[in-house]
Amino acid sequence: FFSPCEEVELEGVTVNVTIQDFVADVVSELCFHNLLHISRETMFIFPVNSETIVHTFCATVGDTRIEAMLWEKEEAQKLCKITPGMENLGYLQNQWDLWGPVFVCFLGNLPPNRDVTISLCYVQELPVHPDGAAQFCWPHRLFPWTKYFSDFSHFFLTAGCVASEERISENLHFNICLKSARGVSHVAINSSHTPLQYMTPDQTSAMVSLKSPPWMWDDLSLLVYYRGSHILSAVVERSDPKAPPGSLLGDSVVMVTLMPSIPEFEPSAVHLGEFLFLMDCSLFQDAQVLPEEIFPSCTWLPHLNAVHSSIFLQNTLLFLLKSLPLGCYFNIYSFGATFKAFYPQSVEYTQENMDNAVRHISSICPDLGGCDLLGLLRSTYSTPLLHGHARQLFIFIQRKISSEVEDVMAEVNRYRDHHRCFCFPATRCGSFNLFQAMALKTKGECVCIHSKMDMASEAVKCLQKALEPLATGISLHWELPPGLEVSMIRKAPEMIFQGHQSSVYAQIHGQTQDPEADEGAVTLQYHVGSQVFDKTLRFSLMSPADNRLPVHRMAMMHLLWKLAWEGTSRTEKAIWHSAVKSSLSLGVPSPFTSIVAVCMEQRDALHHGSLPPDSSVFSSPSCNLVPCQLLWLHGFRPVRFKSTKFWVVQKCQIFLERFGCKGPGTEALTQLSASSKGLCDFSGLRVVVALQKADGSWALTTALASALGLSKADVELQRPREDVQPVVWATILTLVWLHQYKWKVSWSELLETKACRWLQDQGEVHLDECLEAANSLLGCFVEPTTFRI
């Protein structure tokens, strides 16, 4: 709730939540009161996401009622043009400090000492906690005892000052009904609540209520634990008896939640996966390609200098390429005003292709023009997926994306089941929130890169995560009574990562030939590496009637977006008309509809039963249009870095260096900063990394010996046995040398793993003797067990 003064307080909250497995149906009523003796202009704002459907909203002030309703898009756009105050939405979108999609409705002037009652209903697909619980949240600003101050002379008020806990309890009615065919086990809530009360003997239904809000500024977090395995769950929702059979509303809908159990195993030498590196060309603006300065004997290598943050990107790309496993596929894209792929399509990771890619690093030219990230994503997503290879994007960027935020997120959301994004925006990039949303939507990660930060280590940590085992080849097999069939609305994803879930929706249509057959079954089958797993779940087809139809609403949302993505237009009249009619009847926003809010006297108020709306809405002289939309806010809040210690130390050092003074703790600060970042002399390390072969081995060359601080003659002389191949001896020697940097450069583990796997494939390598010789030559002490060979 948004108001220019803090004297508008949230006096009462009534919320009824029904959670069935992993879908929540929320009915809420919020009562605000203007304590002032003057009127205040107000508006209501509620955060939403792609898994949330706000289908009912109305606000009541005295005899006046404001109701939001869906209209066909073209008609709604015409109405928006004649709606007074629509320019306020544009101001809110660009001037407020928040970022992301919201539902917003202007409520006009709230008279002095008057109440406004907000009725808000929505359904939401719940995320799965890593331990398998369904997770429901409620904003702390919508409890009657907190207040929030925005950054520019306005207050986002969702609460007032409440004097006592007793008064809070009187004004808070928060009831939660839990349902699951598997049975409800227990709940975890971060606030005071009543004991879990089972409503049925088989414990498939339970109730719990809040006694007070969470402490201080915490959002409500409710975790619901169900009995049995969480790998597979199903919710069947019966049809609407008033709807015609064969339509979505006229048939039953099933929501299946998939969370495969992915076992840990030692990865094989050949890894399946497609890795795409998207590099912002503006990050190369400080790069000076002088290969002979660093690698006089390897003129094909790029200059890898650690002075400028822009050069970090070259280092990072080199380390990522060298860390990839054999058997995967990869490609490099550079983008600015235009974009360019190094290979026409992804290529297999081989020695030749890797060498060509490393050479390509130094040919990426700076481009400080526009930023066609949207075009690049569309081009990337349009390329066919490689069967069995999970697509994962690594995006490095420092430019702000402003005008195409919604379009970028729409593309990411469209293909979210086909890929994963790891995003690395620079500190000066003004679009951190966008890239964080992209990563969250695709189950990836977003790491903000500071100019003094070791970009390589952060990127390789994400690569380690990307190389973890995942479920692929996902398929569902249905077993239904004769006469019933399944039509998929949202199909199973291409891949599911460890600890994540995906929901599938299907329409059950037809007429069963056996009236007593009331059960169906679904079998999930998936692959982890070369292993095949399956899990079968039986579910009841005779679920209790639910006239609120939360699962149908979620299924309708996915169906409408599917039709939009497939290019359904008004020329396909039957499909288009059916989609719009269904969207309006269930109150589900879609690409075919828009929201319009109408302000009228209570006696003229329309109800959702009369939808779809038409021009008769405006027949009453007391009826007016008010601004109301689903809006994407473009604000930005300061980014918090992962390592507070490192950030503070760098601040101190910059301050001391700027004033040319060295305090008593300067040397200690420098040492602490080095330990925070793992700084060391990387000149030899970069050469060693660059010389590693695609299979993980190192050839015995003069360049390698020099990088290790030795001469080639000494290395050859110390080879322990004649029957030890030079490449085996060089690889073991380099592993010992590399191991001394492991505590400083965590990303070296991937290089080490590749080398150890290569040694394992060589048969007898006389490891003990080679290690003894390498330790003696380098002055180290590394045991055979260190490398797990």
Side-chain angles (χ1 to χ4, degrees):
F1 192 72
F2 186 87
S3 169
C5 88
E6 65 177 305
E7 284 79 8
V8 177
E9 71 173 29
L10 179 58
E11 287 195 332
V13 174
T14 301
V15 182
N16 293 298
V17 183
T18 301
I19 298 176
Q20 188 165 7
D21 278 13
F22 296 99
V23 63
D25 181 20
V26 181
V27 179
S28 65
E29 186 174 277
L30 313 170
C31 184
F32 295 88
H33 182 74
N34 182 9
L35 299 177
L36 293 179
H37 298 291
I38 57 175
S39 297
R40 288 297 182 182
E41 187 177 51
T42 56
M43 60 182 166
F44 181 83
I45 300 175
F46 186 77
V48 295
N49 55 32
S50 59
E51 284 77 38
T52 302
I53 301 171
V54 175
H55 59 84
T56 304
F57 172 84
C58 67
T60 304
V61 183
D63 294 331
T64 302
R65 176 185 174 93
I66 297 174
E67 184 173 355
M69 54 185 69
L70 285 180
W71 285 63
E72 187 273 317
K73 194 159 194 172
E74 290 187 5
E75 291 296 323
Q77 290 173 344
K78 294 177 184 177
L79 293 174
C80 286
K81 291 180 180 179
I82 62 173
T83 301
M86 286 298 290
E87 65 278 1
N88 292 332
L89 292 180
Y91 176 83
L92 175 69
Q93 185 174 31
N94 295 301
Q95 299 300 320
W96 207 33
D97 65 338
L98 290 183
W99 184 95
V102 296
F103 170 87
V104 56
C105 186
F106 278 77
L107 305 181
N109 286 322
L110 181 59
N113 294 310
R114 297 289 293 275
D115 294 333
V116 55
T117 300
I118 304 291
S119 295
L120 176 74
C121 302
Y122 66 92
V123 295
Q124 185 178 51
E125 185 180 304
L126 299 180
V128 178
H129 198 259
D131 59 8
Q135 185 171 18
F136 173 80
C137 295
W138 180 261
H140 70 267
R141 301 185 184 98
L142 293 182
F143 282 110
W145 72 332
T146 60
K147 54 177 102 171
Y148 168 76
F149 301 94
S150 76
D151 291 338
F152 61 97
S153 74
H154 288 79
F155 299 95
F156 187 131
L157 295 178
T158 57
C161 301
V162 180
S164 67
E165 185 175 344
E166 290 76 14
R167 185 181 170 188
I168 292 174
S169 300
E170 291 174 2
N171 295 333
L172 175 65
H173 306 278
F174 206 114
N175 304 310
I176 305 161
C177 177
L178 309 173
K179 299 178 181 179
S180 176
R182 294 181 290 163
V184 179
S185 173
H186 61 283
V187 297
I189 309 177
N190 63 338
S191 70
S192 176
H193 59 89
T194 62
L196 187 66
Q197 181 181 358
Y198 291 105
M199 312 303 293
T200 55
D202 59 2
Q203 300 185 346
T204 56
S205 179
M207 289 286 297
V208 66
S209 299
L210 299 189
K211 291 182 177 179
S212 63
W215 180 248
M216 298 300 288
W217 293 93
D218 288 343
D219 292 339
L220 173 70
S221 177
L222 164 67
L223 297 178
V224 186
Y225 294 87
Y226 302 110
R227 302 189 188 281
S229 170
H230 57 259
I231 296 176
L232 193 61
S233 69
V235 176
V236 178
E237 187 172 84
R238 296 176 67 177
S239 61
D240 183 352
K242 297 177 291 184
S247 66
L248 182 62
L249 287 178
D251 288 334
S252 295
V253 169
V254 58
M255 170 187 173
V256 180
T257 302
L258 317 175
M259 191 175 179
S261 176
I262 302 175
E264 295 291 339
F265 67 96
E266 187 67 25
S268 62
V270 177
H271 187 91
L272 302 181
E274 182 188 20
F275 301 91
L276 306 180
F277 304 106
L278 281 56
M279 325 300 289
D280 183 351
C281 291
S282 68
L283 286 164
F284 290 85
Q285 60 181 306
D286 297 323
Q288 299 296 324
V289 183
L290 302 171
E292 67 279 0
E293 290 186 8
I294 299 297
F295 306 117
S297 60
C298 306
T299 56
W300 51 270
L301 290 173
H303 172 55
L304 300 171
N305 194 326
V307 175
H308 299 289
S309 60
S310 60
I311 308 301
F312 277 141
L313 189 59
Q314 292 187 350
N315 292 355
T316 300
L317 191 49
L318 173 68
F319 299 150
L320 286 172
L321 287 172
K322 290 293 181 175
S323 299
L324 291 177
L326 286 175
C328 72
Y329 283 73
F330 76 101
N331 205 349
I332 301 172
Y333 295 84
S334 55
F335 66 93
T338 59
F339 58 87
K340 179 181 179 182
F342 179 57
Y343 292 106
Q345 58 187 11
S346 296
V347 296
E348 187 176 358
Y349 185 74
T350 63
Q351 185 64 46
E352 180 181 0
N353 290 334
M354 184 197 69
D355 287 344
N356 289 336
V358 171
R359 294 189 191 98
H360 177 60
I361 295 175
S362 60
S363 68
I364 300 178
C365 299
D367 181 348
L368 304 181
C371 184
D372 190 17
L373 178 63
L374 177 61
L376 174 55
L377 289 176
R378 284 174 173 167
S379 175
T380 302
Y381 294 151
S382 65
T383 59
L385 293 171
L386 299 172
H387 179 69
H389 292 268
R391 175 172 289 174
Q392 306 197 60
L393 276 58
F394 286 69
I395 304 174
F396 298 85
I397 189 167
Q398 73 172 1
R399 280 180 272 208
K400 182 176 181 178
I401 310 296
S402 54
S403 61
E404 298 176 330
V405 170
E406 294 95 327
D407 293 331
V408 168
M409 282 305 303
E411 285 297 306
V412 172
N413 186 54
R414 178 178 180 179
Y415 295 98
R416 61 180 175 175
D417 291 334
H418 301 275
H419 77 295
R420 177 160 62 169
C421 289
F422 293 93
C423 302
F424 306 91
T427 305
R428 48 187 164 176
C429 172
S431 299
F432 174 81
N433 291 299
L434 169 63
F435 296 104
Q436 187 176 51
M438 290 171 63
L440 289 173
K441 179 61 62 179
T442 60
K443 312 297 192 298
E445 287 190 6
C446 180
V447 181
C448 187
I449 303 298
H450 181 249
S451 60
K452 297 292 185 181
M453 193 176 187
D454 189 359
M455 185 189 298
S457 64
E458 293 298 325
V460 175
K461 284 177 186 176
C462 288
L463 180 59
Q464 286 178 306
K465 184 177 180 66
L467 292 174
E468 292 176 354
L470 68 158
T472 59
I474 300 165
S475 62
L476 292 177
H477 306 278
W478 301 87
E479 180 185 332
L480 296 175
L484 295 182
E485 295 180 350
V486 164
S487 295
M488 298 304 298
I489 297 173
R490 185 187 182 195
K491 297 181 179 179
E494 294 289 331
M495 53 195 173
I496 299 180
F497 303 99
Q498 179 73 55
H500 293 285
Q501 97 286 358
S502 182
S503 293
V504 173
Y505 294 85
Q507 181 178 349
I508 303 175
H509 55 85
Q511 187 69 39
T512 179
Q513 299 173 9
D514 182 1
E516 296 184 0
D518 61 354
E519 265 196 350
V522 60
T523 298
L524 166 67
Q525 187 176 87
Y526 60 96
H527 296 74
V528 179
S530 59
Q531 302 179 54
V532 181
F533 299 86
D534 58 68
K535 173 72 175 179
T536 299
L537 174 71
R538 304 200 67 82
F539 55 86
S540 173
L541 296 171
M542 305 301 293
S543 58
D546 186 349
N547 58 6
R548 295 191 56 78
L549 301 172
V551 178
H552 276 78
R553 293 183 198 274
M554 295 303 304
M556 176 59 67
M557 179 189 70
H558 289 289
L559 177 61
L560 292 167
W561 277 104
K562 178 183 175 183
L563 293 174
W565 290 333
E566 291 175 350
T568 302
S569 64
R570 300 198 67 164
T571 58
E572 301 169 88
K573 290 185 178 180
I575 299 176
W576 184 88
H577 180 74
S578 175
V580 172
K581 185 177 179 180
S582 300
S583 178
L584 296 177
S585 63
L586 283 179
V588 178
S590 74
F592 308 106
T593 57
S594 287
I595 297 176
V596 172
V598 180
C599 178
M600 66 193 83
E601 298 297 330
Q602 284 278 29
R603 63 179 180 272
D604 298 322
L606 294 178
H607 301 284
H608 283 286
S610 62
L611 292 178
D614 52 43
S615 58
S616 63
V617 172
F618 309 105
S619 59
S620 170
S622 64
C623 177
N624 297 297
L625 293 170
V626 296
C628 182
Q629 276 188 5
L630 289 173
L631 199 65
W632 198 292
L633 302 182
H634 293 163
F636 179 78
R637 284 183 175 176
V639 177
R640 293 183 178 179
F641 291 88
K642 281 188 172 182
S643 174
T644 304
K645 180 179 69 172
F646 167 69
W647 176 239
V648 172
V649 167
Q650 289 297 327
K651 282 273 191 179
C652 293
Q653 283 190 304
I654 291 172
F655 177 84
L656 292 170
E657 291 168 1
R658 181 171 297 174
F659 289 92
C661 60
K662 288 192 175 183
T666 305
E667 185 175 351
L669 276 174
T670 304
Q671 293 173 355
L672 178 57
S673 178
S675 67
S676 298
K677 289 181 62 180
L679 296 174
C680 59
D681 180 11
F682 284 122
S683 58
L685 185 58
R686 292 189 195 96
V687 179
V688 169
V689 172
L691 292 174
Q692 189 179 31
K693 302 296 183 182
D695 59 10
S697 66
W698 278 272
L700 182 50
T701 63
T702 303
L704 177 64
S706 178
L708 301 180
L710 305 168
S711 68
K712 185 180 179 183
D714 288 340
V715 173
E716 290 176 335
L717 184 63
Q718 294 297 320
R719 184 157 54 115
R721 297 169 60 115
E722 286 295 328
D723 56 349
V724 173
Q725 298 180 26
V727 64
V728 171
W729 166 233
T731 299
I732 294 175
L733 182 65
T734 306
L735 275 175
V736 173
W737 182 90
L738 189 63
H739 190 70
Q740 66 182 316
Y741 287 101
K742 190 172 182 178
W743 67 276
K744 296 181 179 179
V745 283
S746 58
W747 47 261
S748 65
E749 183 177 346
L750 287 178
L751 305 177
E752 180 184 301
T753 301
K754 284 178 67 174
C756 290
R757 191 177 297 123
W758 179 83
L759 286 172
Q760 287 176 336
D761 295 339
Q762 303 311 303
E764 181 58 50
V765 296
H766 304 287
L767 181 62
D768 292 344
E769 295 177 59
C770 288
L771 277 180
E772 184 179 353
N775 284 329
S776 175
L777 190 59
L778 295 172
C780 302
F781 182 73
V782 178
E783 297 180 347
T785 55
T786 302
F787 301 121
R788 305 179 301 278
I789 300 176

